[in-house]
Amino acid sequence: MQLVSDSEEGGMECIMKSKKYVYDWDDFNENQKDAVTMAKDIISDPELPELEEIIIGCWGESWDNSAQSILDSIVENKEKFTNVKHLFIGDMDYEECEVSWIEQADYSKLWAALPGLEKLTIKGSTNLELGEVKHPNLKSFEIICGGLGESVIQSIAKAELPELRELMLYIGVEDYGFDGDISDIKGLLEKSDFPKLESLGLMDSEIQDEITEEVVKSKYMKQVRKLALSNGTLTDKGGEILLKELPSFPNIKEVDLEYHYLSDKMMKKLKELPIDICLDDPQEEDEYDGEVYRYPMLTE
């Protein structure tokens, strides 16, 4: 098992004791390492009481071996994780495991087990369940995936996260887990209640224009400073919506539209707005048999 530790975050102001737990090919192919053994490795690590950030990478055949043993071990040994503020489950690249293959877990019991947690990042959505999301201190929540399930979206819509500042969700596509529609996104924006939210990201979608339309009508437009509608199939239709609506919200200082299908003409208009807008990585449509195809950045 490879361990990476002692990362620094926030420059001079914050030094966070961090460690990444990850198995390489030899670990799980020759030595039969898996999520169960990783859970044991973490619990027995003498550095664990000092860690403020834990990053879980490939736990061995992550496409056929869920993270549940790791989550269960954290819950069962919660007294050993009282210092943990940041947790990332599933930090692996496509060479280790495609994002759509990562077997995730049920997080229902994690919320109460780690009351000091401030940031949670989950990568992968296969068999992902959040349960009743209720946490007094979580400030940042991100799910990176190729398709977000309707039940997960509904759990977030009902979540009690009074301190949440940042919410970043990859919506994805139907073929890789997104089994909802624009009404689910509308419901999330209407039903959720995050009074301290400052950064909102609903991205990586094949219905990015429709999502943009719902976002600009939402209550969060009056309070957020950063908006991310990146990594999806945003076209000039969505660009026109932003061009018209963004000037009405002086509180929004930054808009991330990286990876998009905007025309040069639309990009020029958006750049003229008095807002910091990222328009990197423009894409070109594919056309086949008279049909136009656009793809989000992350799917499989």
Side-chain angles (χ1 to χ4, degrees), residues 82-208:
T82 53
N83 286 333
V84 175
K85 295 179 180 179
H86 294 182
L87 180 63
F88 187 164
I89 306 283
D91 183 23
M92 56 192 87
D93 61 29
Y94 71 93
E95 292 183 344
E96 295 170 298
C97 186
E98 296 283 5
V99 66
S100 63
W101 297 1
I102 299 172
E103 286 284 338
Q104 266 296 335
D106 183 349
Y107 285 70
S108 300
K109 297 180 180 179
L110 186 74
W111 309 108
L114 298 180
L117 192 66
E118 295 180 359
K119 180 177 181 179
L120 175 63
T121 303
I122 299 170
K123 189 171 183 180
S125 60
T126 300
N127 293 320
L128 173 64
E129 294 182 36
L130 298 181
E132 184 180 358
V133 182
K134 187 175 182 179
H135 197 283
N137 294 309
L138 196 71
K139 294 180 173 63
S140 176
F141 186 29
E142 180 175 22
I143 302 179
I144 304 165
C145 65
L148 200 60
E150 181 182 7
S151 64
V152 175
I153 295 173
Q154 291 175 349
S155 287
I156 298 171
K158 299 174 185 176
E160 295 182 32
L161 300 171
E163 294 297 321
L164 192 69
R165 264 71 165 183
E166 178 181 55
L167 178 65
M168 296 288 160
L169 302 176
Y170 283 57
I171 304 303
V173 301
E174 182 179 357
D175 288 345
Y176 295 104
F178 177 56
D179 56 358
D181 56 32
I182 192 61
S183 66
D184 295 289
I185 305 302
K186 182 178 181 180
L188 169 65
L189 292 166
E190 290 179 347
K191 297 174 184 177
S192 61
D193 182 19
F194 307 129
K196 295 186 179 180
L197 196 68
E198 298 174 352
S199 298
L200 173 63
L202 296 176
M203 47 203 161
D204 194 57
S205 174
E206 59 187 347
I207 54 171
Q208 200 67 53

